[in-house]
Amino acid sequence: MNGRQLITDAQNTWCPGCGNFTIQHTLKTILSEMEKEGTNLDDVVILSGIGCHAKIADYLNINSFYAIHGRAIPVASGIKCANKNLKVICCVGDGDAYAEGLDHLIFAAKRNIDITVIVHNNRVYGLTTGQYTPTSPLGFKGKSTPLGTLEYPLNPLELMLASGATYIARGYTRKMDLLKTLIRGAINHKGFAFIDVLQICATFFNMTDYYNAQIYELPTYDRSNASIACEKVKEWDYNNKAPISLGLFYQRTAPTFDEQFQHQMSVKSERYPIVKEFLALRQ
Amino acid sequence: MNGRQLITDAQNTWCPGCGNFTIQHTLKTILSEMEKEGTNLDDVVILSGIGCHAKIADYLNINSFYAIHGRAIPVASGIKCANKNLKVICCVGDGDAYAEGLDHLIFAAKRNIDITVIVHNNRVYGLTTGQYTPTSPLGFKGKSTPLGTLEYPLNPLELMLASGATYIARGYTRKMDLLKTLIRGAINHKGFAFIDVLQICATFFNMTDYYNAQIYELPTYDRSNASIACEKVKEWDYNNKAPISLGLFYQRTAPTFDEQFQHQMSVKSERYPIVKEFLALRQ
Amino acid sequence: MVQEVSILVGGKAGEGINSAGAIVAQLLNHSGYYTYMYYDYPSLIRGGHNFAIIRGSDRPVNIHRNFVDYVIALNQDTITQHKQRVGKRTINVFNSDVVRTEGQGISVNTILKSENAPAIMGNSAVIGAFAKASGISWDTVSDVFTRHMPKGADINLKVAKRGYDQVNTINTIKSIGSRRFSVLTGNEAIGIGLVAGGLTVYVSYPMTPSSSLLHFLAENTKKFGITVIHPENEISVILMALGFAYAGGRAAIGTSGGGFCLMTEGLSLAGMAEIPIILVVSQRTGPSTGLPTYTAQSDLHFILNAGQGEFPRFVVAPGDVQQAYYWSAVAMDVAWRYQVPACILADKTLSEGTFSIETEKISQAKFADLPLWDGKTPYFRYADTESGISPLAYPGTNGAVVKVNSYAHDKSGITAEESGIITQMTRKRMKKATVLADAMESYDTINIEGSSEAKTVLICWGSVLNTCREVALELNLKVIQPIVLSPFPVIRMNQALQGIKRKIVVEENVTGQLSALLRFNGITSDAMVLHYDGRPLTPDMLLNRLKEVGV
Amino acid sequence: MVQEVSILVGGKAGEGINSAGAIVAQLLNHSGYYTYMYYDYPSLIRGGHNFAIIRGSDRPVNIHRNFVDYVIALNQDTITQHKQRVGKRTINVFNSDVVRTEGQGISVNTILKSENAPAIMGNSAVIGAFAKASGISWDTVSDVFTRHMPKGADINLKVAKRGYDQVNTINTIKSIGSRRFSVLTGNEAIGIGLVAGGLTVYVSYPMTPSSSLLHFLAENTKKFGITVIHPENEISVILMALGFAYAGGRAAIGTSGGGFCLMTEGLSLAGMAEIPIILVVSQRTGPSTGLPTYTAQSDLHFILNAGQGEFPRFVVAPGDVQQAYYWSAVAMDVAWRYQVPACILADKTLSEGTFSIETEKISQAKFADLPLWDGKTPYFRYADTESGISPLAYPGTNGAVVKVNSYAHDKSGITAEESGIITQMTRKRMKKATVLADAMESYDTINIEGSSEAKTVLICWGSVLNTCREVALELNLKVIQPIVLSPFPVIRMNQALQGIKRKIVVEENVTGQLSALLRFNGITSDAMVLHYDGRPLTPDMLLNRLKEVGV
Ligand SMILES: Cc1ncc(C[n+]2csc(CCOP(=O)(O)OP(=O)(O)O)c2C)c(N)n1
Ligand SMILES: Cc1ncc(C[n+]2csc(CCOP(=O)(O)OP(=O)(O)O)c2C)c(N)n1
Ligand code: SF4
Ligand code: SF4
Ligand SMILES: [Mg+2]
Ligand SMILES: [Mg+2]
């Protein structure tokens, strides 16, 4: 059996050198592996917000929900609750998921809903041509802050840890093999899986040299140990120069929202008798 | 000089035994002390969301902005940036600040804007008659979740620590003296001050006995030590039975957004010459 | 002669005035009456003054009137604040521990103490007293308590019996038959309408006056075969629901104006991505937080125009429980059939009012088959067809790649920017509006009541129907109520207006929103009666206001 | 005879087509022409096809036409995608490294290499070539580069000179005078209008086509004496701005439709709490994400009705830069004077188009004194007055307790639920609408242009004015453009329509939104020209469409 054509005919409009290519390629590889292993790709759904990252919804030839800025995650939660057989993957931006729609990210983690969230974290608003985001370093001079921002960045991994996420990882678009392992792990993880991907924006915030100089892979430790994870997560605060660890920081198993939700669910197809029964009670 | 009448004529409509009375009384005491110490109370603004807690805006006879559900904090940020001489105090609910408007809370902490946020955390939606909130324990049976919630609560203190808040405390409405110290400290603190107040809701979620049995006051330690703070903050997760520490967990000094914002600010009152100058440049 | 009775029950918030009222309504129901209950309460949890007015009649009634025959007083405010409602005929039944007035007083405390019952059961004592005073048989009381008190009927009955025994019958509310109606609120009627329409999930964030729908459905998930989710805020509500609908669920959401604001971006997404969804919006007094527990009809144009860009939507404003039930089911059908957002626009008076429904008479909506993909031709989510309606498939369907998109897109759902595609897809979406409007021709989108001869008509929408209906009966007028407001049934409306000389629009807002919608559709009105203090316009008020405009 | 020229510049995103176009516009400006530039780009950062059409004329022009005299091609698409715009007269100037066509080619790579200049300066080479081909003097080129190239004018000039020297003059764009206009975009005109109106803070979250206003103001905070904040999302934007306004700042915010959705709850709050605020909403093609970089006029009714409940609002839709400047300042005055939200409704064509402004001719708005508290009487934030306008005080004012409230409230700002207060305060707010409408009688709220004799009128709003103006001149028609859309200037509109036989409404949407607004105000139109592919309706298109409706 030949696998499906995984890329659509849509014209790709990312800039040369954009890290989004790596993420797309990685997902493509993973999808075709999954297909070979027997997953029906009609059971996979990809979601995206709005931004450069989001174009991936057009490019991958699988079910997709190209949502609105900041709101892919609640849609994904609805999809997963509606049909627990679907594999649900969200590709979101840092402006998208850390600014406009931060609350949804936190609540998805809190609920431990079984979806995968990949943040294309280029630390800039790409598609709107270069403003700071919540992970831009202090003093970032973007188009909306020509005098430099006045805010320290958020550390999204720390926030996710505090929110109850059960799979927390960081990847980098110049480390494709690791990225593949992390995303594959996230999709396999039963529960809310979060990967912050340091994605190179070639046009507005090219951090390649900086990252290349700082990154290293996390050593072996008990991934279910929250204290160690917490320490590792704090090593780099997205602002000051420090070693940047890549890999899986934390993983644990816990009941998922969608699964428990199924237990509370009951389906009845004949509706009129139910209504009549109810009305009789009110007499 | 006689102090001002601090309570308005508005009829108070909290339930008997409601913890909001304690918070109001504490604020009243603090305000009158501040007045005695020379603060002009016309320079104080209180904000609130919508909910039982929010009625405090009607009851205190000072400047107030009775905002909308979840949105007191961005308003407060605007006020503080507009006039840094104002003391800005937000009284918000847990549904308000942890559900509807969580992102604003996190960003106010991130910016270290010099406002005080007091969360009336009764762990229930009071005014809408008893639904679960983000801090209700797992399995909470409210009107929207009669079968019990499927989500673990958030630990707001942990989130605040991860968001960069520079003053993090927890009070309890049955410990008024401590509450007073904490709120007073928050108002004095230069930067974003956060107090989660375990507020008794006498009607929908009366946790008095539970709290009384678990609470203790934090011992002395270096309040600027984030690791100790982190550990203390995690001791009780708002779900499982564990000792509940009250007091100031963490405090540090850092530049505030509003202060730096002032530096970027420049005021020009004669506008036409500026406009003409600009137009000339475009010729 | 009309057989009628009105009862006012009043007390503090927390004393169970709402449930006391519901029991009184059932007492009347069990005595053969049509009943209606208005429930008035400020936005607080304990204290203040709550009251309910229960009206019973031998003909259908869906609104209260000013005069009350009985006052059941749990606090003094009930006596002092309602002086304008009472007359010589009025009989007071009251808790003499806290109320000073004339009539039938009982000491609730004494009764509770002797039965060792909690304070919240105090209202059972006065209900018992009321039943006796009004000559309702103990059997009826016992029957109603047993059927309609979810918990502790036994001890409540004991308490009630003591109240019953302490007073005398003064003026009998005659039993007028053994027929019983189903008594339910407007929100409950919407809820069962949605259930009948195939609801699988209800997503909502609490907001008065929609919250009781959330509570009702949450309480009955097992019974109705549905699920209910209450997420972090209204933005999440609509987006989650769109996720459900995309994946094949039948999702409805509910809120009031402020929460609806937060849903408008999702609404526009539903319009562009052609994802069906039901929005129940129950109006309260605005702007902003306004009066959370009081009524209004001031969000019509907001609902009709919310969301950037242009896309078809279905908007229906039921006026009573029959309509609420039927049209909620129809809305479900319409939303999925045409893949458009459908809004059920209610108001506090309808949502939280309690009404009688004649089970035999309710109409059942007819459901068309969904335009599902046949699985034979290649799948295009936005295939352009004659009707503009594209075949539906859900993710997980073998062989279908289901791509939905908030951007302008081509037939496969991939982003497109070319002028030609934009024009075509805009027309595709608008074709659905036309097809929907045509299909609506076979529905009774306009409700016509009252005198068929009358030359003067009261035009109204939503729950004001009930006031107009009653006044029209008294003054021999016609009533026209457009139920579907988008697509506006302009042909039917013009037909309905044939022969009419004088058009008076009656609504609960300050700018005349239905009047504006009519004007927009080429129909001018001769007078407007606008009422906007948050309280329902009652027949008594309307009669006065009509005098002012010379009717 | 009219002296006119049109130039098309095209290339890939990232090649600086927008700035190249701006320089070409300045070359025409420095040759004495009125100029207009349309900038067309898809939603991407690198690649694709961007183009600008710059038109110069000896009379004011504010819209492009189909035919172009020059094509400056940085990529092959510029040649292949615009065949319908060129004729025999058209001259191509192009980068021969990547473009194959006839005309004046230069090797940009060679030039850049020889000057050791970066790729982004490639457009300077072709601009130089264009200048020579069109006979623009080197002095003019040098002057324009020096004045209007923020960085690296020197090296750019060297690059341009090489392009200049490599081609021959073919068809001279005559210098027609030494007069220069100020060249600026619609968003810049709004920006300086707000500054003139007293802006102190601009709060915004980026969203095309409003983002360039955010960038412009952020870049010029020091120059204009303002501050700019970009918060976490649009909900925060409006709430922060309301905080600023409450504390005495003059706040404006900006967004497009999707972001506006998220502001509607705050808008209703502004209405209820009577806090002044300016919203700049620039429309793009919807629904939902739609076409982010293309134009539309499809949010009018959404803007007019957004937010739950009813409250007065000021809505103005400028059509060109003069109006944008003047009315933005007026909006500022109105918002603060009447303590109402004011919306400046723009569209992509206006926001991102570049226009000439005659500095001498711009009108300066007159500002009335603010209704500030006198400090003598006790302070009540919502004191009811004859006009409905309450004296303003800000927190920090000695002796004033300033309480604002989203709930219905009494005069001191404390929550109130009594029927009497609700009615009174609703009327108080609506009085402001009346007073504002009256005050607007002394403004030119309706713009009338074209032939004063004509019996046929083109009625339009927003930037479509510029197309109608030009067509009206050609066909001897009248043009009527309501600038203020709320409160709708119905008296002036009816005056303007006196003697008119045929009314044709021209707009960029699919449902006819202005037409609906007119109908609502009792004015029916005879025909509609609706255009909705995201591209501006040009005079050439309109001429064709008018033929269809028999003009
Ligand atoms: C409600 C709303 N606000 C603003 C926008 C405009 N917008 C589109 S993409 C974007 C930023 C995207 O940044 P990010 O999420 O980091 O994605 P990137 O382009 O960097 O991949 C913004 C602000 C929008 N589409 N919707
Ligand atoms: C946008 C919006 N959604 C919902 C509501 C309804 N509402 C009013 S108060 C409230 C909950 C308040 O809970 P919390 O913040 O915990 O305050 P408490 O009453 O417990 O003090 C809700 C949901 C609203 N006013 N606005
Ligand atoms: S702007 Fe940045 S993120 Fe966007 S496509 Fe270009 S390189 Fe990638
Ligand atoms: S419901 Fe709870 S929080 Fe609200 S007033 Fe009563 S006791 Fe207080
Ligand atoms: Mg980004
Ligand atoms: Mg609460």
Side-chain angles (χ1 to χ4, degrees), chain A residues 81-101:
Chain A
C81 287
N83 182 350
K84 71 173 184 340
N85 298 325
L86 298 174
K87 284 274 174 206
V88 180
I89 304 167
C90 294
C91 286
V92 296
D94 51 328
D96 209 50
Y98 300 153
E100 183 74 74

Side-chain angles (χ1 to χ4, degrees), chain D residues 217-402:
Chain D
L217 292 175
E219 222 169 74
N220 291 289
T221 47
K222 298 271 177 217
K223 185 179 288 161
F224 294 153
I226 58 168
T227 45
V228 168
I229 307 188
H230 157 190
E232 64 273 22
N233 57 32
E234 289 89 350
I235 298 178
S236 192
V237 165
I238 187 163
L239 275 300
M240 263 200 194
L242 291 175
F244 267 101
Y246 167 71
R250 290 257 186 158
I253 63 182
T255 189
S256 186
F260 177 73
C261 286
L262 298 168
M263 296 174 173
T264 52
E265 200 195 1
L267 180 67
S268 182
L269 166 61
M272 180 55 124
E274 304 191 40
I275 302 173
I277 183 162
I278 303 282
L279 296 96
V280 181
V281 180
S282 185
Q283 298 164 97
R284 63 193 218 186
T285 322
S288 203
T289 311
L291 289 181
T293 61
Y294 289 92
T295 202
Q297 301 188 302
S298 52
D299 298 339
L300 174 57
H301 286 274
F302 183 25
I303 300 283
L304 290 173
N305 294 290
Q308 76 272 29
E310 297 162 300
F311 51 91
R313 71 191 77 196
F314 182 68
V315 178
V316 62
D320 59 24
V321 277
Q322 280 78 4
Q323 292 180 3
Y325 171 71
Y326 171 75
W327 285 100
S328 297
V330 171
M332 206 72 164
D333 182 50
V334 164
W336 263 262
R337 189 131 51 104
Y338 299 93
Q339 301 165 40
V340 296
C343 178
I344 299 163
L345 187 55
D347 50 51
K348 187 259 174 178
T349 309
L350 174 66
S351 282
E352 301 195 344
T354 306
F355 306 78
S356 288
I357 210 169
E358 291 173 80
T359 321
E360 324 76 70
K361 284 204 194 153
I362 56 174
S363 346
Q364 301 295 10
K366 304 219 179 336
F367 301 120
D369 287 339
L370 277 189
L372 291 177
W373 179 52
D374 62 9
K376 290 170 197 156
T377 48
Y379 187 67
F380 295 107
R381 176 64 190 83
Y382 299 106
D384 194 2
T385 63
E386 208 180 320
S387 62
I389 300 169
S390 313
L392 260 182
Y394 308 119
T397 308
N398 264 327
V401 176
V402 186

